[in-house]
Amino acid sequence: MKRIIVILLVVILVAGGVVGGLIMFGIIPNPINPMVLDPAAAAADKAAMALAAKTKFDPPLVEFPLIKVADLVMPVIINGQVQRRVLVIARILASTPADTDYIEANMIVFKTR
């Protein structure tokens, strides 16, 4: 009797997995949450998909060069005394090689101020 109960439970478990898989793959319709075939909703979904396709992000075709700026240690002064120091690490994004050359040539302006 115990074997029959165990075998029955295993068969129910396997059958439930098979039915669930068929529902997930869309082979059979979902009886719990049936899809409503509303023409207005279908048109709205198509319009939303067209808008999403139009506003889709296109990644850049080339990698932008990052220019490393020298690390800065800035003191935090409170009541005339240095309380702590803040380390600033920065990189500048250049969109073209000409911009990269210009930034590297004029970086001395930023270092002296």
Side-chain angles (χ1 to χ4, degrees):
M1 184 66 180
K2 290 181 183 179
R3 283 187 180 173
I4 295 174
I5 293 174
V6 170
I7 292 172
L8 185 64
L9 289 175
V10 169
V11 168
I12 291 172
L13 181 68
V14 170
V18 169
V19 170
L22 292 174
I23 290 172
M24 291 299 292
F25 284 119
I27 297 172
I28 59 174
N30 189 350
I32 297 171
N33 187 14
M35 296 180 65
V36 178
L37 299 176
D38 184 16
D45 287 342
K46 286 182 182 178
M49 288 176 62
L51 179 65
K54 185 188 293 185
T55 59
K56 180 183 171 193
F57 173 73
D58 293 326
L61 300 176
V62 295
E63 181 180 351
F64 291 134
L66 288 174
I67 302 167
K68 175 107 169 74
V69 179
D71 297 342
L72 301 171
V73 177
M74 300 179 66
V76 177
I77 300 172
I78 299 174
N79 294 330
Q81 294 183 348
V82 176
Q83 296 293 328
R84 57 182 65 118
R85 298 186 190 327
V86 176
L87 177 66
V88 178
I89 301 172
R91 289 178 177 76
I92 299 175
L93 179 69
S95 59
T96 63
D99 290 342
T100 304
D101 297 337
Y102 178 78
I103 292 169
E104 287 176 350
N106 293 319
M107 190 59 70
I108 192 72
V109 174
F110 299 110
K111 291 179 184 177
T112 58
R113 289 187 181 187

